[in-house]
Each structure stands twice: as structure tokens, then as C-alpha cells.
Amino acid sequence: MAIRPAEQLIHKAAWLYYAHGLRQDEVANQLKISRASVAMYLRKARETGIVNISTSTQLFTDDVLARRLEDALKLDAVWIAPENAYVVDPSTDIAVLAASVFLELVKKGDRIGVAWGRTVYTIADIMSFADLQDVTVVQLCGNLGAPYSYRPDQCTMEIARRLNAKGLNFYAPLVLSTEELARALRAEPVIREQLAGISDCNLALFSVGTVDADSHVVKCGALTVSEMEVLRNAGAAGVIAGQIIDAAGEALDCSYNRRVISAELGSLGAIEKRLMVVQEDSKFEPLLAALAGGLCTHLVVGARVAQRLLDRAGAVTKKAS
């Protein structure tokens, strides 16, 4: 149900005060209202239950740009975090919104697939606690060495902890040294069963990675900078759950992908709700690749990326006509 215009300020005040921790005077300054009005709106928010911050995500689904982007990209739902002067790092606002969206999408008895990286870990770290019943959180790809900061098992288990859910980790590394060893490991009953069960998930949470020196698969040591450059020249466009995809959103035919222990893209595509969260503007091209491959049904992005997506969709449509 859409939020009525009269309720907009109440929701915005609650979002700024409770989700971002702004003082009442800062909320007043941001919304250009008096501090007394802020106090009144927060009281109404408590009385009506709006302080359950997840309801404030309606602010971002009612946005006209979000509706137009859903139609243009044929997505089930889009949430757009606006550009806000009060946030030093705009990507934080996207993660706050994504955490609330994710909690709204989770249902009793769900099986949730979780990828890894800075975006997913940030969402897990700021997510509110929820006591959900019969929920299972599963890792979508193999694991990494201890020094890396955002390991797949850490992302999976932290989200499971926040949901009071059961967590299932992959007992295998992300990348093997040879293709033969990877094939043998995928054939092991435990690993084979875990990979086969991914398509049974109801919801997936992931981002898309870049294919440059800042890529998480480079920073974690899975690929060197020079190896990534070779893959990029061969058509690499993005990274999904540790796998390299091309501009069409398909797995790149390369030795690296054949050495990876990760959910097949077909299994990911079989998941009903696939929530993709993109924090950085630099991930625009990888996001296009993921969208081309149908790897996303629900999307959380910032305002700049959203406008770029809509502009591009309009340009493509105009060119086709």
C-alpha cells in the first residue's frame, strides 16, 4: 500500500532518526522543519508502529524513478537510495536500505542463499536482529583463506545469526589449483549435495563485482591483477558469487571458472527472489552484465546508478525502434 503524502514526513523522520542515528535537530535541518515537528512525528511513528524501520522502505518503492526502472528492466521490485547530504559515505545509506529490504523479503521457512564481499558483509553487519522460524542460510560459493576480511562463511553465518537461523557453510575452498582437482571435489557427495540444493533456495542476496585491480577476487588472492586483465580482454564483465561472467551475464569460458567451487549460474537463476545490491557507481558495467543474464529480480541501488540504468534503457529502446 502506498504511503499517503501526509505520512511521508513521519516516515522520513523515523528513517533518519532510528536508522541513521541523527539527532532531532539534525533531522529537523535535513527535512527543513522545526525540531518540535520532529518530536511530534517521532511520537506518531512510535504510536503507529512506523518505528519498525522496515516499513519505511515503502518510501523508496513509491519513488517514480523506481517504478519506471522496474518497467524498463522488467524487474519485480526496485528500491533507490536517494542522494543525501547528511551521509558522508552514500554507500552506507544503500546498505541500510538493503538490510531493511532483505528482512522484508525473508519469510518463515525460507532457504536463503548468500554470496560474499564487502557489500554483503556490510549489510549483514548493520542488519537488525529478527527471530524467524525454520529459516536456513546457505553459502553460495567456496571459502577463502583467513586473512581476507569478508569471507563467504563470515557473511553466511553473520546473517544466520541476525535471523536466528540455521547456517550452512561450504566445506571447500573457492578456487582449486587445477581443473581436475575442482572436478573431483565437486563430485564428492557432500559438495555435490550442497551445490544441488542451491536451486531450492527461495531468496538470494548478493552483489556483483568488478573485473579490475579492485575486484574482490583479486584482493582475496584468487586471481592476480595480470590474470584478471587477461580475463577482461577475453570478455570478462563482472563477478557473481566468485564466478566471472561476460557481458551477456553468462559464465565466461575460462580455466578460472572451471577451478571455482560455486553455485552454477543456472541454479542461481532458478531462485525465485534474487536481491542484488550495488553500492558503488564503479559497478555499473558489471551490473549491466548481471541484468543481461537475468541474475536479478529485486534491486537496491543509489540514485545515480538508477538514473544511468534508466537513461541507458531509454537509449537502447530508442535505437531499437
Side-chain angles (χ1 to χ4, degrees):
M1 179 182 296
I3 298 176
R4 295 188 300 271
E7 297 175 325
Q8 287 283 341
L9 281 176
I10 299 177
H11 280 261
K12 288 181 179 179
W15 180 263
L16 296 175
Y17 185 77
Y18 290 104
H20 285 290
L22 270 66
R23 300 189 309 270
Q24 289 190 18
D25 60 322
E26 292 173 325
V27 174
N29 184 60
Q30 178 67 26
L31 299 180
K32 295 180 173 55
I33 58 178
S34 69
R35 183 169 179 172
S37 295
V38 170
M40 178 186 66
Y41 290 148
L42 293 177
R43 185 178 70 254
K44 287 185 177 180
R46 290 190 296 271
E47 292 171 351
T48 58
I50 292 174
V51 290
N52 177 1
I53 294 302
S54 64
T55 61
S56 290
T57 59
Q58 294 176 51
L59 288 169
F60 307 97
T61 57
D62 285 337
D63 188 88
V64 173
L65 177 58
R67 301 288 69 70
R68 292 174 62 194
L69 201 53
E70 286 173 2
D71 292 341
L73 302 179
K74 295 179 173 57
L75 297 177
D76 292 342
V78 173
W79 293 263
I80 300 173
E83 296 181 28
N84 290 311
Y86 63 89
V87 178
V88 177
D89 181 3
S91 65
T92 302
D93 214 22
I94 297 172
V96 170
L97 174 58
S100 293
V101 168
F102 177 74
L103 287 175
E104 286 189 349
L105 292 176
V106 178
K107 307 301 180 186
K108 177 182 177 182
D110 271 356
R111 185 179 177 90
I112 304 167
V114 173
W116 59 290
R118 187 176 73 89
T119 297
V120 175
Y121 190 82
T122 302
I123 292 170
D125 190 48
I126 63 178
M127 186 183 299
S128 301
F129 287 88
D131 189 10
L132 300 176
Q133 297 181 4
D134 303 321
V135 171
T136 302
V137 182
V138 301
Q139 190 173 319
L140 291 177
C141 59
N143 210 19
L144 303 163
Y148 190 64
S149 302
Y150 315 111
R151 297 199 318 264
D153 62 328
Q154 289 179 320
C155 294
T156 300
M157 297 313 292
E158 182 58 26
I159 289 179
R161 189 175 76 89
R162 300 281 172 143
L163 299 179
N164 195 25
K166 178 182 179 182
L168 295 179
N169 288 135
F170 249 122
Y171 295 104
L174 175 64
V175 186
L176 279 295
S177 57
T178 68
E179 294 179 26
E180 293 75 16
L181 187 56
R183 281 196 297 269
L185 189 54
R186 281 194 289 267
E188 284 294 316
V190 173
I191 304 300
R192 186 174 65 242
E193 182 179 349
Q194 283 185 283
L195 289 171
I198 287 173
S199 59
D200 295 329
C201 290
N202 314 97
L203 171 64
L205 172 65
F206 46 64
S207 186
V208 59
T210 59
V211 287
D212 52 25
D214 290 327
S215 174
H216 53 297
V217 293
V218 171
K219 289 186 174 181
C220 77
L223 284 169
T224 65
V225 173
S226 58
E227 287 172 335
M228 179 60 87
E229 184 177 1
V230 170
L231 290 175
R232 190 167 60 251
N233 291 334
V239 184
I240 295 287
Q243 296 184 75
I244 305 295
I245 61 172
D246 61 19
E250 298 178 354
L252 189 71
D253 183 12
C254 62
S255 177
Y256 168 81
N257 275 346
R258 291 189 287 272
R259 292 185 289 112
V260 166
I261 304 298
S262 179
E264 294 183 356
L265 297 185
S267 296
L268 293 178
I271 299 173
E272 179 186 4
K273 293 176 289 187
R274 304 181 294 279
L275 175 61
M276 181 165 289
V277 182
V278 174
Q279 291 181 284
E280 301 92 342
D281 293 356
S282 61
K283 290 185 176 182
F284 182 73
E285 295 298 331
L287 174 57
L288 290 179
L291 290 169
L295 297 172
C296 167
T297 60
H298 296 66
L299 178 65
V300 178
V301 292
R304 287 193 302 271
V305 169
Q307 188 60 57
R308 288 180 68 186
L309 286 172
L310 191 60
D311 290 344
R312 187 182 186 280
V316 171
T317 301
K318 185 176 180 180
K319 183 177 180 180
S321 61

